[in-house]
Amino acid sequence: MTTTAPGGPVAAELPFFVYGTLLPGEPNHDLFLRGRTAGERPAVLPRALLYDGPGYPYAIEGHGRVHGTLLVAAPGVYGELLGLLDHLEEFLGPGHPRNLYERVAREVELPGEAGEAGAPDAGDGAGESVRAWVYLAAAAVTRSLRTGGVLIPGGRWTTGRTPGGS
């Protein structure tokens, strides 16, 4: 399956960068991702800021870094996963006025060593960059966050629960 990238040509089945309730240990990870991923790695979204939301965060363009996870869809479930995530993130289509988030293709960084199982070859072992789908706050939400939102220092969202806890 191919998908039209917002503002761009047709894109291949890109992995997904997640940074909130879809992170491992968070409530939506098991609900939406269990059995639907073939790989998950820590990743960083450069040139972005993270804001607190009503029980979930928003990433927007900015001069910072957002920490999260890169997810690769399991074989045969890409279309299903894309539809589930678009629905969860209230993405109705590029630029739709009722979008809560926009799904955009962005470069994310994968820190660590090259040559890990399932990872694209970085060549130098200093980390790598991969193009992935990222759900960024839609335009109206972004305007509101820039004027009165609560910035999350360090770009790392947590709900305050301990890993594996309730």
Side-chain angles (χ1 to χ4, degrees), residues 7-36:
V10 173
E13 295 182 354
L14 298 176
F16 300 89
F17 174 80
V18 299
Y19 53 85
T21 65
L22 289 164
L23 289 169
E26 294 296 331
N28 284 334
H29 184 273
D30 281 350
L31 287 173
F32 291 89
L33 302 175
R34 182 181 294 213
R36 294 184 178 103

Side-chain angles (χ1 to χ4, degrees), residues 126-154:
E128 56 196 284
S129 179
V130 169
R131 196 149 185 85
W133 288 124
V134 179
Y135 291 90
L136 297 178
V141 176
T142 296
R143 283 191 297 276
S144 175
L145 292 170
R146 287 191 190 280
T147 58
V150 177
L151 184 65
I152 297 174

Side-chain angles (χ1 to χ4, degrees), residues 92-117:
L92 304 173
H96 194 286
R98 291 195 336 252
N99 282 349
L100 185 60
Y101 292 87
E102 289 285 339
R103 176 170 35 88
V104 298
R106 288 279 308 268
E107 293 294 319
V108 298
E109 299 169 357
L110 301 173
E113 297 182 34
E116 292 180 37

